[in-house]
Amino acid sequence: MSLAELQALERDHVLPTYARFPVEFVRGEGAWLYDDEGHPYLDFLSGISVTSVGHCHPHVVRAVTQQAARLTHTTNMFYTEPAMRLAQRLSQGSLGGKVFFTNSGAEANEAAIKLARRARRGGEIVVVEGAFHGRTYGALSATPQESKQAPFAPLVPGFVVVPKDPDALRAAVSERTAAVFLEPVQGETGVWPLPEELLRAAREACDAAGAALIYDEIQCGVGRTGTLWAYQASGVVPDALTSAKALGGGFPIGALITGPRLADVLQPGDHGSTFAGGPVVAAAAGAALDVIDDPALLRRVRELGERLAAGVAQLPGVREVRARGLMVGADLDGAPELARRALLDQRLVVNATGPDTLRLLPPLIVGEAEVDEALVRLRAALSA
Ligand SMILES: *Cc1c(COP(=O)(O)O)cnc(C)c1O
């Protein structure tokens, strides 16, 4: 089907919630996407930090096809090996508590919000300015952005917003607080690593008040910043974290992972999901972790991230670069127009998180030559 035919179908039959670019992708391999005419595009967005193992990684494809041919779904009333093995791996490789599987990032945060309120009845949830936690009602209520929230009022009550300031955070946390939610690196609002001082203040305030510190690692986890989990780069350990995006190697799975203290708060009947943790997506996640949970790959993420950030900083018009591993944001005027030109003229897939920030999220298996090629294409898009 031609692009024009797809656009006609969208116009007539699809709710107009997405501003799509006029490009149809039909195939992907590694860091490359191919359109309907066979043109290759260098993918430095990875489906928003989802295809971190690259497109159609053979190890993930094998795990998924083998599992799909054996058993696809049973509901969570029964046991399947991929889910139990994945839970063990996620728990042992991070906070050491227990795991609840979901189908998406927003759902992982919903589970975390329910868990926090179950631990402290009626408690407030403290979030910081610039946060993005998802689009469902609980997650949206934790996302203090006027344009996203206002049309959908009334929201879920009991959310408190504070500036990214240690003193303001400390002042907002009390015996009334159920949890503080933080993204160690804020993604959707322009790649903002939160200062270590703020993370430390959150940890201390939560300890003093008996509240839970919950990290949203949906975008910055699973190797993106050069450690398997973003919290592992700092001295601050949360009580629970949420994951999704890259967790499934391109397949939809999310998880709430707790530490020991919160492992037994949710009880039978408290929460559930029909699809979540199904054998196919759990097998995909296991295979994706085989690829990413590798010290050599994570060291490459840190090295190539530095190379990419240094290259981006030299581009004309770039005022500031913020980077953690292969999560890179560059401030410059006209970022959305630059992203559009990079895509349509240079066949480089990148995006803008707002009017002033270009965001680069290449797959973690990217090579040095591809990093350099992306910089060449960005420079060309900038000088067009
Ligand atoms: C993408 C994202 C979400 C929402 O995940 P969905 O799978 O789109 O529901 C939540 N938090 C952060 C930090 C994200 O980047």
Side-chain angles (χ1 to χ4, degrees):
M1 223 180 256
S2 73
L3 178 63
E5 288 169 310
L6 298 179
Q7 287 172 317
L9 289 180
E10 180 192 41
R11 191 185 57 238
D12 293 344
H13 304 296
V14 180
L15 294 181
T17 57
Y18 301 111
R20 289 179 223 269
F21 293 101
V23 177
E24 176 194 2
F25 287 124
V26 297
R27 190 167 74 77
E29 189 181 340
W32 296 85
L33 284 163
Y34 297 84
D35 71 10
D36 52 324
E37 293 175 345
H39 299 302
Y41 290 63
L42 184 52
D43 184 4
F44 266 47
L45 182 57
S46 306
I48 317 184
S49 200
V50 168
T51 49
S52 287
V53 295
H55 293 284
C56 304
H57 192 290
H59 186 57
V60 175
V61 170
R62 202 174 314 114
V64 166
T65 51
Q66 284 178 358
Q67 185 58 48
R70 194 176 299 135
L71 180 69
T72 58
H73 179 75
T74 66
T75 87
N76 285 304
M77 288 188 281
F78 306 102
Y79 291 92
T80 62
E81 190 172 318
M84 295 305 133
R85 273 189 186 282
L86 179 62
Q88 177 192 34
R89 187 165 183 180
L90 289 173
S91 156
Q92 290 182 344
S94 64
L95 303 174
K98 294 180 181 175
V99 175
F100 178 84
F101 290 118
T102 69
N103 308 288
S104 69
E107 284 177 62
N109 285 337
E110 295 294 332
I113 293 164
K114 284 183 72 173
L115 177 138
R117 289 248 169 99
R118 185 75 155 89
R120 181 166 275 174
R121 285 292 162 92
E124 292 171 347
I125 311 280
V126 175
V127 300
V128 293
E129 285 174 355
F132 178 87
H133 295 297
R135 306 284 202 149
T136 54
Y137 260 102
L140 178 64
S141 304
T143 297
Q145 296 176 42
E146 179 71 12
S147 64
K148 291 186 171 66
Q149 289 185 335
F152 304 104
L155 300 173
V156 179
F159 287 78
V160 176
V161 186
V162 298
K164 285 187 252 183
D165 169 65
D167 291 332
L169 185 66
R170 268 188 216 101
V173 176
S174 71
E175 254 75 87
R176 289 193 316 278
T177 308
V180 175
F181 272 71
L182 296 175
E183 296 153 82
V185 185
Q186 293 182 335
E188 289 307 298
T189 52
V191 185
W192 292 97
L194 295 183
E196 182 81 17
E197 205 195 341
L198 186 71
L199 303 176
R200 231 174 262 291
R203 182 66 278 173
E204 286 163 13
C206 285
D207 286 343
L213 177 60
I214 300 180
Y215 274 9
D216 177 342
E217 294 213 13
I218 289 163
Q219 187 163 151
C220 62
V222 195
R224 174 56 55 189
T225 62
T227 48
L228 184 61
W229 302 105
Y231 83 83
Q232 290 166 334
S234 88
V236 177
V237 179
D239 298 302
L241 68 84
T242 53
S243 179
K245 289 201 163 94
L247 183 61
F251 290 81
I253 182 169
L256 164 63
I257 307 170
T258 77
R261 190 167 80 74
L262 297 177
D264 295 304
V265 171
L266 290 175
Q267 290 298 306
D270 277 349
H271 201 37
S273 167
T274 301
F275 284 125
V280 176
V281 291
L289 285 171
D290 289 341
V291 176
I292 290 174
D293 190 6
D294 165 7
L297 178 133
L298 293 169
R299 187 172 350 99
R300 289 279 291 165
V301 169
R302 297 192 292 272
E303 288 166 4
L304 289 176
E306 280 174 26
R307 187 183 184 91
L308 179 61
V312 169
Q314 315 233 301
L315 296 174
V318 170
R319 293 189 295 271
E320 179 178 282
V321 176
R322 294 176 296 276
R324 287 287 186 279
L326 283 170
M327 186 169 183
V328 177
D331 284 353
L332 78 178
D333 292 336
E337 179 52 27
L338 173 63
R340 191 181 176 82
R341 276 205 307 275
L343 173 77
L344 298 179
D345 301 346
Q346 301 299 321
R347 299 199 178 115
L348 171 70
V349 186
V350 291
N351 94 317
T353 60
D356 300 316
T357 308
L358 188 75
R359 178 175 52 177
L360 304 165
L361 300 165
L364 307 184
I365 50 82
V366 75
E368 198 173 283
E370 289 161 332
V371 166
D372 293 346
E373 177 63 23
L375 291 167
V376 167
R377 291 183 189 206
L378 270 181
R379 190 174 287 274
L382 270 166
S383 61

